[in-house]
Amino acid sequence: KKFLFSSPRMATGTQDKQYNPTLLSFFIYNPKFGPKEGEEEKKILFYHPNEVEKNEKIRNVGLCEAIVQFTRTFCPTKPAKSLHTQKNRQFFHEPEENFWMVMVVRNPMIEKSNKDGKPLVEYQEEEILDTVYNAVLQQCYSMYRLFNGSFAQALETGGVELLKQRLEKFFYRYLQTLHLKSCDLLDVFGGISFFPLDKMTYLKIQSFVNKVEENLDLVKYTSLIFGSKDVLRSGLEQDDMRILYKYLTTSLFPRHTEPELAGRDSPMRTEMSGNLQHYGRFLTGPSNPNDPEAKCRFPKIFVNTEEELHLIVYKAMSAAVCFMVDASLELTRDFCVKLNKLVGPHLTVLASDICEQYNINKRLSGPEKEPQFKYIYFNHMNLAEKSTIHMRKTASISLTSVHPDLMKILGDINSDFSRVDDDEEIIVKAMSDYWVVGKKSDQRELYVILNQKNANLIEVNEEVKKLCATQFSNIFFLD
Amino acid sequence: SRTPPPSLSAQVPLSFSLSKDMAADVHDKKVDWELQNGSLAPADGSHSERSESPTPGLIEGTEPGAGQDRAMFVHTRSYEDLTAGGEVKGCPQQMESSLEGQSNMEEINKDFNELSTQLTGVAMDVEEEMESGLDERSLSRQRSRQDSVRSEKEEEDVTAESWRSHRKHVFVLSEAGKPIYSRYGAEETLSSTMGVMMALVSFVEAEKNVIKSIHSDDYKVVFMRRSPLVLVGVARTCQSEQDIARELLYIYYQIISLLTFTQLTRIFEQKQNYDLRRLLAGSERITDNLLNLMDQDPSFLMSAVRCLPLATSTREAISSSLQQAKAKNLVFSILLSRNQLVTLVRKKDQFLHHVDLHLLVNLISSSTSFREGEAWTPICLPKFNCNGFFHAHISYLDQVTDLCLLLISTDREDFFNISNCKRRFLERIKKRSTYQALQDSLQNPTYSCTQVGIPDLRHFIYKSRSSGLFTSPEVEAPYITDEERERLLGLYQYLYSRVHNSSRPLNFIYHTGESENLLAWVTSGFELYMCFSPMGSKAGAVAAIGKLMKWIRKEEDRLFILNPPTY
């Protein structure tokens, strides 16, 4: 179904080719590592693309250093965060003292051919939103840190060489998963979608967690997620959960196709864990713990700043559970077998209970018809996020159902909000005649795009009021 | 129907020439501002494709304040200068094309030609030539007076926190990285900072790219390359990058207005590391004043000119007196009072650009030396022709009300002729008691927002797009202190930058905040920016639009110049 797809721009000629923003380069450097002339290369800890000639790498790092130094003339404590040029934008982030991460994004461009058939490139300099890509860059660091710990930690353990190795290993793959063109306001929020729980379901989840933690005393933290995106129980500190959630929803879950959805005769289904009592299986660790040859190795993650943990992700039907165990403890196959036996059946039951609740919720919210509006909601206090603009998320790609320009207007409104702490409301009418409403109240932000082009300001206001009353009267405004 | 002269066509947007024809037909039908179903639509419904939306179908040229038959200004789209892609490329060609044909332009061109031959002829030693070329100007500008103001600036410590925390820095440097101007602090103490700026510009250029801006949480650094100059702004305001760039462009034009583009380029062609400060000595104050003016006066933001509210009969009497006091080489006669336009008479088919008028306003307001007697000074109007000098006769008619007459001639030997024009003008208006009527009006040069009769309305700016004129009431409580006034302008800057965003323009904004509610509405005919008390409702605001537009229509004869006169 298409919604809000009309373009506010003039239709461009058929020969025009539109290019999306792309990642030009990404590098990490520390100016303290090669302070002497001729040693500049030592500053560079990671550089993508690696094929770039050494001198060019040094030059580009040099420019960033110069920009940062230059801006310190005007404010020693708040150096540059971005550099805008005609062709690209560079984003700077200093996550640990003297460690600089730089991401260079090429501006979107239109290739037109002039009369002689010669291509003419026009860069669209105002299309990229700083807030969005600054957030993406910060996410890069958080994700690195989730799996590797801090830069300083690597330095302490194995010196510059180890740090370089880790950076190479992590970013080589991670950068390929960045889909810059589909980054938007949701990346700025980095929020978590919560499942709207009723009391009964909440108690069932609580009793499930108690039972598991009682029997598997190695487990330190437990998180639960439904339907590959709605968090039932966080179990971790907000900032850790936010980045773990990002990893699970954009990387791990999409990699594991759902055997529940696969056809009856699919090989997936028959291979499943070799038991019939439940649908449980490991998403990390052994694919079949009952196989004596199975390797019981789990990815390690770092939470609470320096705490290292095994990450066990286990799933039954639509419910996934993350168990986190102290990394210094060794996880044996016996442990995996025990976990499988205990958690599998319980999680299967829990999953079907929640699924039932989910269907009831859906029925209550009325028949699915094309709504007159789409919205994004975010709460800074608990990171709760809800979007009816984004249809689904596959491997880091979120599809939006609105025109990209409208998404950017949402981003603009968000930047306006961040300038002052006061409560504010902004209602705008785009050139395409769509109404866009942004509301900020007490750490919560709501953005609505209305499909009624002919409405007036008063009607738009009424429509948004109605939306708040129906959608946010219960769980979302009561957190 | 008329097309602009070729020399100007480069600057004239398409809409300009299109709209004029329509304006003539439609203007007589006054549009009735009524609210229909809570939305604003023209009652005559003649342009109502989108009548349900809050966009009335007023075509450019029929909005309140639009000129009766032709506009006074060549006006441009907001970012024309910025998007036109570097350099004042238009300039040299513009010169050439204006040389072809156009009988009424011939004299002016001849004059420019002579001037530029004079300028090129002497150039043996650049420095000597420039200094001698400046003689007449420095006489009228009395350099010594300004030195005391500058010395405070010279003493400022550029490494101190107080220097860093200025709200807006502006730097001008040459392509060799030599300091030309700094708003705060002595230029020579900033030579290394400016060197770095130039290095950044060149570095990015070496990659066949152009540096635009640097952003931090607290401030923006905006770069503008206008060869042979580089301008850099560092702002802690909430202004958009484009806004700051527009201000830098004004500073660039300000420098051009003193030197001409031809002279400026030739200086640096001959000596790349020339110290332009020698040539601009004494003019820093004009630049300082321009920056201060831009921080207070919405004219620059709006790219428009504000008229002194005046009864039509009085304005017409003044205009016709100016019209009659013409001379062969007179191109523009301008009467101003405190940055407001009383009237402007121009040679037929010659148009003044609002940027040029703003520069003139700034010139006279930045120097006290014009207050006494008659001044005769060369000035380049960069948007009209960036390669030649006009000669401006500047005289204050009244010290208290700052009533100032500007007569712009093409001939530098014309002083006595033009001075005679002034005398004739004065005689005429004094005889016809027009002068007294004008003086009376100047006692109340502004109006209060309360006159509109909308209780929650605190302030507004209304711009007629086709005439390039705007009107705005006195800034009143609660915006009393300088800080609060600047904050109000900041709010307008915010609205302006959002509706005019180059990639995502908006039609309409309603902003509800703790301190005030704001509204912006842009149509093809006008721009309206309103500031309400935070107690006001949305319904109230919608009703207020209709009421205000009706009021402006009723008052348009007084608030705008509807019949721009020519000689």
mmCIF file of all heavy atoms in Angstrom, chain A residues 303-335:
data_model
loop_
_atom_site.group_PDB
_atom_site.id
_atom_site.type_symbol
_atom_site.label_atom_id
_atom_site.label_comp_id
_atom_site.label_asym_id
_atom_site.label_seq_id
_atom_site.Cartn_x
_atom_site.Cartn_y
_atom_site.Cartn_z
ATOM 1 N N VAL A 303 29.020 -4.672 29.019
ATOM 2 C CA VAL A 303 27.958 -3.777 29.505
ATOM 3 C C VAL A 303 28.437 -3.086 30.777
ATOM 4 O O VAL A 303 29.546 -3.377 31.276
ATOM 5 C CB VAL A 303 26.642 -4.548 29.780
ATOM 6 C CG1 VAL A 303 26.111 -5.166 28.500
ATOM 7 C CG2 VAL A 303 26.841 -5.573 30.863
ATOM 8 N N ASN A 304 27.598 -2.203 31.318
ATOM 9 C CA ASN A 304 27.979 -1.461 32.538
ATOM 10 C C ASN A 304 29.405 -0.938 32.460
ATOM 11 O O ASN A 304 30.194 -1.098 33.384
ATOM 12 C CB ASN A 304 27.844 -2.340 33.779
ATOM 13 C CG ASN A 304 26.412 -2.488 34.203
ATOM 14 O OD1 ASN A 304 25.581 -1.661 33.861
ATOM 15 N ND2 ASN A 304 26.114 -3.556 34.907
ATOM 16 N N THR A 305 29.739 -0.355 31.377
ATOM 17 C CA THR A 305 31.064 0.154 31.026
ATOM 18 C C THR A 305 32.126 -0.920 30.844
ATOM 19 O O THR A 305 32.680 -1.037 29.782
ATOM 20 C CB THR A 305 31.577 1.258 31.982
ATOM 21 O OG1 THR A 305 31.719 0.717 33.284
ATOM 22 C CG2 THR A 305 30.659 2.461 31.994
ATOM 23 N N GLU A 306 32.436 -1.751 31.839
ATOM 24 C CA GLU A 306 33.550 -2.654 31.612
ATOM 25 C C GLU A 306 33.221 -4.138 31.864
ATOM 26 O O GLU A 306 34.101 -4.976 31.813
ATOM 27 C CB GLU A 306 34.747 -2.276 32.503
ATOM 28 C CG GLU A 306 35.226 -0.836 32.340
ATOM 29 C CD GLU A 306 35.887 -0.562 30.983
ATOM 30 O OE1 GLU A 306 36.973 -1.112 30.743
ATOM 31 O OE2 GLU A 306 35.313 0.201 30.177
ATOM 32 N N GLU A 307 31.989 -4.433 32.179
ATOM 33 C CA GLU A 307 31.655 -5.802 32.545
ATOM 34 C C GLU A 307 31.535 -6.689 31.305
ATOM 35 O O GLU A 307 30.793 -6.387 30.387
ATOM 36 C CB GLU A 307 30.320 -5.785 33.299
ATOM 37 C CG GLU A 307 30.013 -7.063 34.030
ATOM 38 C CD GLU A 307 28.682 -6.960 34.772
ATOM 39 O OE1 GLU A 307 28.078 -5.868 34.788
ATOM 40 O OE2 GLU A 307 28.250 -7.987 35.310
ATOM 41 N N GLU A 308 32.278 -7.807 31.300
ATOM 42 C CA GLU A 308 32.274 -8.681 30.129
ATOM 43 C C GLU A 308 31.355 -9.876 30.350
ATOM 44 O O GLU A 308 31.414 -10.528 31.389
ATOM 45 C CB GLU A 308 33.707 -9.153 29.847
ATOM 46 C CG GLU A 308 33.867 -9.751 28.464
ATOM 47 C CD GLU A 308 35.319 -10.101 28.129
ATOM 48 O OE1 GLU A 308 36.202 -9.796 28.965
ATOM 49 O OE2 GLU A 308 35.551 -10.687 27.068
ATOM 50 N N LEU A 309 30.525 -10.160 29.344
ATOM 51 C CA LEU A 309 29.515 -11.208 29.513
ATOM 52 C C LEU A 309 29.403 -12.090 28.275
ATOM 53 O O LEU A 309 29.692 -11.656 27.168
ATOM 54 C CB LEU A 309 28.136 -10.566 29.745
ATOM 55 C CG LEU A 309 27.955 -9.628 30.923
ATOM 56 C CD1 LEU A 309 26.661 -8.846 30.768
ATOM 57 C CD2 LEU A 309 27.953 -10.398 32.240
ATOM 58 N N HIS A 310 28.971 -13.349 28.487
ATOM 59 C CA HIS A 310 28.552 -14.190 27.364
ATOM 60 C C HIS A 310 27.145 -13.774 26.985
ATOM 61 O O HIS A 310 26.314 -13.528 27.867
ATOM 62 C CB HIS A 310 28.471 -15.664 27.780
ATOM 63 C CG HIS A 310 29.797 -16.277 28.099
ATOM 64 N ND1 HIS A 310 30.743 -16.553 27.147
ATOM 65 C CD2 HIS A 310 30.319 -16.701 29.282
ATOM 66 C CE1 HIS A 310 31.802 -17.109 27.706
ATOM 67 N NE2 HIS A 310 31.569 -17.214 29.022
ATOM 68 N N LEU A 311 26.882 -13.707 25.693
ATOM 69 C CA LEU A 311 25.520 -13.391 25.259
ATOM 70 C C LEU A 311 24.879 -14.635 24.660
ATOM 71 O O LEU A 311 25.270 -15.115 23.605
ATOM 72 C CB LEU A 311 25.547 -12.265 24.216
ATOM 73 C CG LEU A 311 24.199 -11.944 23.567
ATOM 74 C CD1 LEU A 311 23.228 -11.359 24.580
ATOM 75 C CD2 LEU A 311 24.375 -10.985 22.391
ATOM 76 N N ILE A 312 23.889 -15.145 25.396
ATOM 77 C CA ILE A 312 23.152 -16.305 24.896
ATOM 78 C C ILE A 312 21.797 -15.814 24.407
ATOM 79 O O ILE A 312 21.038 -15.220 25.170
ATOM 80 C CB ILE A 312 22.917 -17.330 26.040
ATOM 81 C CG1 ILE A 312 24.255 -17.733 26.663
ATOM 82 C CG2 ILE A 312 22.155 -18.550 25.526
ATOM 83 C CD1 ILE A 312 24.119 -18.429 28.004
ATOM 84 N N VAL A 313 21.534 -16.011 23.131
ATOM 85 C CA VAL A 313 20.219 -15.619 22.619
ATOM 86 C C VAL A 313 19.485 -16.894 22.227
ATOM 87 O O VAL A 313 19.970 -17.707 21.450
ATOM 88 C CB VAL A 313 20.335 -14.676 21.409
ATOM 89 C CG1 VAL A 313 18.947 -14.180 20.988
ATOM 90 C CG2 VAL A 313 21.234 -13.498 21.730
ATOM 91 N N TYR A 314 18.322 -17.038 22.799
ATOM 92 C CA TYR A 314 17.548 -18.264 22.623
ATOM 93 C C TYR A 314 16.146 -17.883 22.201
ATOM 94 O O TYR A 314 15.573 -16.910 22.702
ATOM 95 C CB TYR A 314 17.521 -19.010 23.961
ATOM 96 C CG TYR A 314 16.928 -20.401 23.902
ATOM 97 C CD1 TYR A 314 17.734 -21.502 23.576
ATOM 98 C CD2 TYR A 314 15.584 -20.610 24.174
ATOM 99 C CE1 TYR A 314 17.192 -22.779 23.533
ATOM 100 C CE2 TYR A 314 15.025 -21.876 24.123
ATOM 101 C CZ TYR A 314 15.846 -22.968 23.804
ATOM 102 O OH TYR A 314 15.301 -24.230 23.753
ATOM 103 N N LYS A 315 15.599 -18.615 21.270
ATOM 104 C CA LYS A 315 14.312 -18.194 20.735
ATOM 105 C C LYS A 315 13.329 -19.356 20.617
ATOM 106 O O LYS A 315 13.712 -20.482 20.287
ATOM 107 C CB LYS A 315 14.529 -17.579 19.341
ATOM 108 C CG LYS A 315 13.324 -16.855 18.812
ATOM 109 C CD LYS A 315 13.634 -16.104 17.522
ATOM 110 C CE LYS A 315 12.403 -15.315 17.130
ATOM 111 N NZ LYS A 315 12.548 -14.665 15.846
ATOM 112 N N ALA A 316 12.067 -19.063 20.920
ATOM 113 C CA ALA A 316 11.006 -20.037 20.669
ATOM 114 C C ALA A 316 9.856 -19.290 20.037
ATOM 115 O O ALA A 316 9.358 -18.333 20.621
ATOM 116 C CB ALA A 316 10.554 -20.701 21.973
ATOM 117 N N MET A 317 9.458 -19.718 18.883
ATOM 118 C CA MET A 317 8.426 -19.016 18.104
ATOM 119 C C MET A 317 8.752 -17.527 18.043
ATOM 120 O O MET A 317 9.837 -17.150 17.653
ATOM 121 C CB MET A 317 7.039 -19.289 18.692
ATOM 122 C CG MET A 317 6.781 -20.787 18.767
ATOM 123 S SD MET A 317 5.045 -21.218 18.742
ATOM 124 C CE MET A 317 4.489 -20.636 20.317
ATOM 125 N N SER A 318 7.812 -16.670 18.484
ATOM 126 C CA SER A 318 8.065 -15.239 18.329
ATOM 127 C C SER A 318 8.780 -14.611 19.525
ATOM 128 O O SER A 318 8.986 -13.410 19.556
ATOM 129 C CB SER A 318 6.752 -14.495 18.120
ATOM 130 O OG SER A 318 6.242 -14.852 16.877
ATOM 131 N N ALA A 319 9.109 -15.432 20.510
ATOM 132 C CA ALA A 319 9.738 -14.853 21.697
ATOM 133 C C ALA A 319 11.221 -15.188 21.736
ATOM 134 O O ALA A 319 11.617 -16.328 21.533
ATOM 135 C CB ALA A 319 9.050 -15.362 22.951
ATOM 136 N N ALA A 320 12.030 -14.156 21.984
ATOM 137 C CA ALA A 320 13.471 -14.382 22.117
ATOM 138 C C ALA A 320 13.895 -13.951 23.505
ATOM 139 O O ALA A 320 13.392 -12.961 24.034
ATOM 140 C CB ALA A 320 14.233 -13.594 21.060
ATOM 141 N N VAL A 321 14.806 -14.715 24.055
ATOM 142 C CA VAL A 321 15.306 -14.352 25.373
ATOM 143 C C VAL A 321 16.826 -14.253 25.314
ATOM 144 O O VAL A 321 17.483 -15.035 24.627
ATOM 145 C CB VAL A 321 14.806 -15.355 26.452
ATOM 146 C CG1 VAL A 321 15.252 -16.763 26.132
ATOM 147 C CG2 VAL A 321 15.272 -14.960 27.841
ATOM 148 N N CYS A 322 17.371 -13.222 25.975
ATOM 149 C CA CYS A 322 18.822 -13.076 26.060
ATOM 150 C C CYS A 322 19.251 -13.357 27.484
ATOM 151 O O CYS A 322 18.758 -12.711 28.416
ATOM 152 C CB CYS A 322 19.255 -11.652 25.714
ATOM 153 S SG CYS A 322 18.786 -11.138 24.082
ATOM 154 N N PHE A 323 20.142 -14.321 27.627
ATOM 155 C CA PHE A 323 20.713 -14.582 28.948
ATOM 156 C C PHE A 323 22.141 -14.080 28.925
ATOM 157 O O PHE A 323 22.885 -14.352 27.988
ATOM 158 C CB PHE A 323 20.730 -16.081 29.272
ATOM 159 C CG PHE A 323 19.369 -16.692 29.326
ATOM 160 C CD1 PHE A 323 18.994 -17.666 28.412
ATOM 161 C CD2 PHE A 323 18.461 -16.302 30.310
ATOM 162 C CE1 PHE A 323 17.737 -18.241 28.455
ATOM 163 C CE2 PHE A 323 17.196 -16.896 30.364
ATOM 164 C CZ PHE A 323 16.832 -17.862 29.442
ATOM 165 N N MET A 324 22.538 -13.357 29.969
ATOM 166 C CA MET A 324 23.906 -12.881 30.006
ATOM 167 C C MET A 324 24.612 -13.468 31.214
ATOM 168 O O MET A 324 24.108 -13.422 32.334
ATOM 169 C CB MET A 324 23.915 -11.355 30.000
ATOM 170 C CG MET A 324 23.647 -10.840 28.581
ATOM 171 S SD MET A 324 22.844 -9.247 28.495
ATOM 172 C CE MET A 324 21.126 -9.685 28.611
ATOM 173 N N VAL A 325 25.774 -14.081 30.922
ATOM 174 C CA VAL A 325 26.525 -14.821 31.946
ATOM 175 C C VAL A 325 27.926 -14.231 32.013
ATOM 176 O O VAL A 325 28.519 -13.899 30.985
ATOM 177 C CB VAL A 325 26.602 -16.315 31.569
ATOM 178 C CG1 VAL A 325 27.430 -17.090 32.576
ATOM 179 C CG2 VAL A 325 25.214 -16.914 31.447
ATOM 180 N N ASP A 326 28.444 -14.119 33.219
ATOM 181 C CA ASP A 326 29.799 -13.590 33.419
ATOM 182 C C ASP A 326 30.792 -14.287 32.486
ATOM 183 O O ASP A 326 30.852 -15.512 32.441
ATOM 184 C CB ASP A 326 30.204 -13.803 34.877
ATOM 185 C CG ASP A 326 31.415 -12.962 35.235
ATOM 186 O OD1 ASP A 326 32.353 -12.888 34.407
ATOM 187 O OD2 ASP A 326 31.401 -12.374 36.332
ATOM 188 N N ALA A 327 31.583 -13.488 31.767
ATOM 189 C CA ALA A 327 32.455 -14.058 30.736
ATOM 190 C C ALA A 327 33.591 -14.888 31.317
ATOM 191 O O ALA A 327 34.176 -15.733 30.628
ATOM 192 C CB ALA A 327 33.022 -12.942 29.875
ATOM 193 N N SER A 328 33.907 -14.696 32.586
ATOM 194 C CA SER A 328 35.013 -15.475 33.162
ATOM 195 C C SER A 328 34.601 -16.918 33.416
ATOM 196 O O SER A 328 35.431 -17.791 33.623
ATOM 197 C CB SER A 328 35.479 -14.813 34.467
ATOM 198 O OG SER A 328 34.398 -14.760 35.363
ATOM 199 N N LEU A 329 33.286 -17.177 33.409
ATOM 200 C CA LEU A 329 32.824 -18.543 33.620
ATOM 201 C C LEU A 329 32.770 -19.260 32.275
ATOM 202 O O LEU A 329 32.408 -18.674 31.266
ATOM 203 C CB LEU A 329 31.423 -18.532 34.241
ATOM 204 C CG LEU A 329 31.315 -17.787 35.569
ATOM 205 C CD1 LEU A 329 29.862 -17.576 35.945
ATOM 206 C CD2 LEU A 329 32.058 -18.548 36.666
ATOM 207 N N GLU A 330 33.141 -20.548 32.308
ATOM 208 C CA GLU A 330 33.105 -21.290 31.056
ATOM 209 C C GLU A 330 31.739 -21.919 30.875
ATOM 210 O O GLU A 330 31.155 -22.454 31.821
ATOM 211 C CB GLU A 330 34.179 -22.369 31.061
ATOM 212 C CG GLU A 330 34.566 -22.776 29.655
ATOM 213 C CD GLU A 330 35.516 -23.969 29.681
ATOM 214 O OE1 GLU A 330 36.356 -24.039 30.611
ATOM 215 O OE2 GLU A 330 35.396 -24.805 28.791
ATOM 216 N N LEU A 331 31.192 -21.823 29.689
ATOM 217 C CA LEU A 331 29.886 -22.414 29.439
ATOM 218 C C LEU A 331 30.071 -23.759 28.746
ATOM 219 O O LEU A 331 30.653 -23.847 27.675
ATOM 220 C CB LEU A 331 29.050 -21.478 28.577
ATOM 221 C CG LEU A 331 28.693 -20.148 29.244
ATOM 222 C CD1 LEU A 331 27.849 -19.274 28.328
ATOM 223 C CD2 LEU A 331 27.964 -20.369 30.570
ATOM 224 N N THR A 332 29.594 -24.806 29.407
ATOM 225 C CA THR A 332 29.789 -26.168 28.897
ATOM 226 C C THR A 332 28.582 -26.599 28.067
ATOM 227 O O THR A 332 27.552 -25.940 28.071
ATOM 228 C CB THR A 332 29.942 -27.153 30.069
ATOM 229 O OG1 THR A 332 28.732 -27.066 30.835
ATOM 230 C CG2 THR A 332 31.122 -26.787 30.941
ATOM 231 N N ARG A 333 28.752 -27.733 27.398
ATOM 232 C CA ARG A 333 27.637 -28.267 26.622
ATOM 233 C C ARG A 333 26.516 -28.692 27.564
ATOM 234 O O ARG A 333 25.340 -28.524 27.263
ATOM 235 C CB ARG A 333 28.097 -29.445 25.766
ATOM 236 C CG ARG A 333 27.089 -29.802 24.676
ATOM 237 C CD ARG A 333 27.599 -30.865 23.745
ATOM 238 N NE ARG A 333 27.701 -32.157 24.426
ATOM 239 C CZ ARG A 333 26.693 -33.055 24.478
ATOM 240 N NH1 ARG A 333 25.539 -32.793 23.902
ATOM 241 N NH2 ARG A 333 26.852 -34.197 25.094
ATOM 242 N N ASP A 334 26.908 -29.210 28.731
ATOM 243 C CA ASP A 334 25.893 -29.610 29.709
ATOM 244 C C ASP A 334 24.973 -28.460 30.056
ATOM 245 O O ASP A 334 23.755 -28.619 30.175
ATOM 246 C CB ASP A 334 26.570 -30.113 31.005
ATOM 247 C CG ASP A 334 27.148 -31.506 30.819
ATOM 248 O OD1 ASP A 334 26.811 -32.131 29.773
ATOM 249 O OD2 ASP A 334 27.926 -31.947 31.687
ATOM 250 N N PHE A 335 25.619 -27.281 30.230
ATOM 251 C CA PHE A 335 24.841 -26.101 30.567
ATOM 252 C C PHE A 335 23.836 -25.794 29.453
ATOM 253 O O PHE A 335 22.668 -25.514 29.710
ATOM 254 C CB PHE A 335 25.778 -24.912 30.799
ATOM 255 C CG PHE A 335 25.063 -23.615 30.979
ATOM 256 C CD1 PHE A 335 24.536 -23.262 32.219
ATOM 257 C CD2 PHE A 335 24.899 -22.733 29.913
ATOM 258 C CE1 PHE A 335 23.872 -22.067 32.385
ATOM 259 C CE2 PHE A 335 24.224 -21.525 30.068
ATOM 260 C CZ PHE A 335 23.714 -21.198 31.313
#
